Amino acid sequence: EVQLVQSGAEVKKPGESLKISCKGSGYSFTSYWIGWVRQMPGKGLEWMGIIYPGDSDTRYSPSFQGQVTISADKSISTAYLQWSSLKASDTAMYYCARRGVGDYWFDPWGQGTLVTVSS
Amino acid sequence: EIVLTQSPATLSLSPGERATLSCRASQSVSSYLAWYQQKPGQAPRLLIYDASNRATGIPARFSGSGSGTDFTLTISSLEPEDFAVYYCQQRSNWPLMYTFGQGTKLEIK
């Protein structure tokens, strides 16, 4: 079974750093793109960026370029999303999702990681 | 940048009724459009890709149609578990962007 399992919920203070993870299993991790999607409380889905773990090719949405860093460690089939200095406005659910080479849709999705930033 | 506009924002129907959800693109996306379902507290789930192809395990009551700029997701006879939020999504190549519509909430009447 193809699965993406994300790390657990986080509570952080403004200015702190954070790295959340997404571990793939049941497929060749280096052959599919992994995207990250933000969902702010009560709002819709926003694409943040995408990485190809095979060669670490990474693309960002202009809205998130410079705000987050996406990386991957193919030796442990894990993708990451990180912040160097969190803001209260980063409070959201973050999903990772697999995208096929040549495709544009995302399937499956991880269960989500809730990030809460509050002083 | 291609913008996806979904309508209506909220659709109130009863179980057994037919649901018709719309997604309009600001410019042609050919047939490169996907639909997702999101239930409260859950991650989105892929329903439809390439405008009309059902994803693995998706019931036949879900169907998609359209091409170019106008797309429709139809649920032929609503089951209680179908009440959720539905999103459409596409990809543009320049600049590279994966865009979601703002969602349609399908609620029980």
Side-chain angles (χ1 to χ4, degrees), chain A residues 37 39 43-47 50 59-62 95 99 102-107 109-111, chain B residues 31-34 36 38 42-46 49-51 87 89-91 96-98 100 102:
Chain A
V37 174
Q39 188 168 39
K43 301 299 184 183
L45 305 171
E46 301 173 88
W47 173 69
I50 196 165
R59 319 287 177 86
Y60 293 93
S61 163
Y95 294 101
R99 196 219 85 180
D103 297 335
Y104 59 91
W105 61 85
F106 294 100
D107 179 54
W109 294 57
Q111 84 277 19
Chain B
S31 295
Y32 301 129
L33 189 100
Y36 300 86
Q38 187 178 32
Q42 295 186 18
R45 176 176 71 147
L46 177 69
Y49 63 93
D50 287 348
Y87 295 95
Q89 178 247 322
Q90 64 84 38
R91 183 187 87 176
L96 178 63
M97 285 288 295
Y98 296 84
F100 294 90
Q102 81 279 18

Side-chain angles (χ1 to χ4, degrees), chain B residues 13-57:
Chain B
L13 293 170
S14 300
E17 290 193 294
R18 180 184 187 90
T20 303
L21 287 67
S22 174
C23 177
R24 175 164 289 177
S26 58
Q27 58 186 276
S28 177
V29 298
S30 187
S31 295
Y32 301 129
L33 189 100
W35 289 94
Y36 300 86
Q37 177 194 65
Q38 187 178 32
K39 296 180 182 179
Q42 295 186 18
R45 176 176 71 147
L46 177 69
L47 296 176
I48 301 284
Y49 63 93
D50 287 348
S52 61
N53 295 308
R54 276 190 303 277
T56 302

Side-chain angles (χ1 to χ4, degrees), chain B residues 54-73:
Chain B
R54 276 190 303 277
T56 302
I58 301 303
R61 64 181 181 273
F62 290 91
S63 64
S65 63
S67 66
T69 61
D70 290 299
F71 300 87
T72 300
L73 174 69

Side-chain angles (χ1 to χ4, degrees), chain A residues 23-89:
Chain A
K23 183 173 176 61
S25 62
Y27 72 99
S28 174
F29 186 72
T30 54
S31 299
Y32 291 81
W33 293 78
I34 294 286
W36 287 95
V37 174
R38 182 177 78 174
Q39 188 168 39
M40 299 179 78
K43 301 299 184 183
L45 305 171
E46 301 173 88
W47 173 69
M48 302 175 71
I50 196 165
I51 187 166
Y52 187 70
D55 61 5
S56 292
D57 185 6
T58 307
R59 319 287 177 86
Y60 293 93
S61 163
S63 298
F64 292 93
Q65 179 85 47
Q67 307 305 307
V68 296
T69 302
I70 293 170
S71 60
D73 184 341
K74 59 186 178 183
S75 70
I76 55 171
S77 301
T78 301
Y80 301 96
L81 176 66
Q82 69 180 87
W83 296 259
S84 59
S85 181
L86 287 159
K87 302 184 281 287
S89 58

